[in-house]
Amino acid sequence: QSALTQPPSASGSPGQSVTISCTGTTGDVGGYNYVSWYQQHPGKAPKLMIYEVTKRPSGVPDRFSGSKSGNTASLTVSGLQAEDEADYYCNSYAGNSNWVFGGGTKLTVL
Amino acid sequence: EVQLVESGGGLVQPGGSLRLSCAASGFTFNNYWMTWVRQAPGKGLDWVANIKPDGSVKQYADSLEGRITISRDNAKNSLYLQMNSLRVEDTAVYYCATSRDWAFDYWGRGTLLTVSS
C-alpha cells in the first residue's frame, strides 16, 4: 500500500490560514470517509486532530478543520498560532483491513 | 485519564526477536480496538497492526505480515507486539494507540527498538 501524498512543508504567519493537502486514490481517501489527521511536536507522540474527514475530538480548537474532495483530503488551520508549528500526518482506511499514512507535512509559523 | 505506556524496546541484532508491551489505564481496555504504529528515526508514521477488543480479529500491514503477532491480555490491560526475524529497517519508535471511530485517538509515548549488529 503506497503512502498518501502530502507536501513536505507549509508555512504561514500568525493569524493567517494554511491548508495541507493529502492525496490518495479511490482505494483509500476517495473510497472512504475515514480520513484522520494527527499533529506531532518534536519528540512527542502524535495527537488526533480530525477524524472521519471533518470531525474534531473534544479539546481540539475549532481553528482546525477538515474536508475532502475526490481523492484529496485537506486540513485547514485558521488563525495560526505559534504552538501550531508541528508535523502533520493524514491517515486513511485503505480497505482490506489496511490503514495508510501520508508522508507528513512540516508546518512552520513564520 | 487515559494512559498508555509502552516498554520492551532496546537493541536487538538482525534476525532476533522481541516482544513489545503496552500497559493501559484510565479507560475500559476490553472495549477498545488497539493499534501499533511505528516511526523510523526522522521519518513518518507507519501503521503496523490492529486488534479487536476480544482479540478475535487481528489486522496486519502487508509489509510485516508473517513476522509480527499482535495480542492482548484484557485481564492485565495489556497489549503486545511480538516481532521476529528483525531487520535493520524495523528500527523505529513503536507507539500503541486506542482505535475508535476509524482513527487512533490516544497514544502512548512510544518505545524505541534499534536493530543493529
Side-chain angles (χ1 to χ4, degrees):
Chain A
Q1 188 68 40
S2 299
L4 306 175
T5 300
Q6 297 182 234
S9 63
S11 62
S13 299
Q16 288 186 331
S17 293
V18 170
T19 296
I20 298 170
S21 63
C22 169
T23 301
T25 68
T26 54
D28 38 62
V29 174
Y32 306 93
N33 288 322
Y34 298 141
V35 175
S36 52
W37 289 90
Y38 302 85
Q39 176 192 66
Q40 187 179 34
H41 288 108
K44 302 293 187 182
K47 176 185 175 183
L48 177 64
M49 305 301 285
I50 296 288
Y51 67 101
E52 292 181 359
V53 180
T54 61
K55 299 178 181 178
R56 261 188 325 274
S58 174
V60 172
D62 60 6
R63 302 183 294 103
F64 291 86
S65 62
S67 63
K68 191 184 87 166
S69 177
N71 295 338
T72 298
S74 299
L75 173 72
T76 297
V77 186
S78 305
L80 269 176
Q81 299 182 3
E83 59 262 35
D84 299 333
E85 184 162 298
D87 293 326
Y88 290 84
Y89 295 91
C90 62
N91 177 273
S92 175
Y93 180 63
N96 295 320
S97 304
N98 275 285
W99 274 256
V100 62
F101 280 97
T105 297
K106 182 177 180 60
L107 175 60
T108 301
V109 180
L110 302 170
Chain B
E1 177 193 5
V2 172
Q3 282 204 320
L4 298 167
V5 180
E6 301 90 341
S7 61
L11 177 62
V12 179
Q13 290 191 336
S17 298
L18 196 72
R19 189 177 82 157
L20 304 179
S21 300
C22 172
S25 60
F27 65 104
T28 307
F29 182 71
N30 59 13
N31 283 353
Y32 281 75
W33 282 77
M34 295 296 296
T35 294
W36 286 100
V37 174
R38 70 181 182 178
Q39 186 171 35
K43 302 297 184 182
L45 301 173
D46 190 23
W47 172 73
V48 172
N50 287 348
I51 186 168
K52 194 176 177 180
D54 65 0
S56 64
V57 176
K58 303 175 182 182
Q59 302 164 342
Y60 299 105
D62 292 342
S63 61
L64 292 167
E65 191 152 18
R67 294 198 297 123
I68 62 171
T69 303
I70 189 172
S71 62
R72 62 193 297 161
D73 185 338
N74 288 341
K76 295 183 177 180
N77 286 349
S78 293
L79 175 72
Y80 306 103
L81 184 68
Q82 177 69 40
M83 303 186 69
N84 301 321
S85 303
L86 284 163
R87 305 168 181 170
V88 171
E89 53 265 36
D90 293 321
T91 294
V93 173
Y94 286 76
Y95 295 101
C96 72
T98 56
S99 181
R100 186 172 51 166
D101 296 327
W102 302 90
F104 313 123
D105 49 353
Y106 293 102
W107 297 63
R109 293 188 172 186
T111 186
L112 175 62
L113 168 63
T114 302
V115 183
S116 174
S117 55

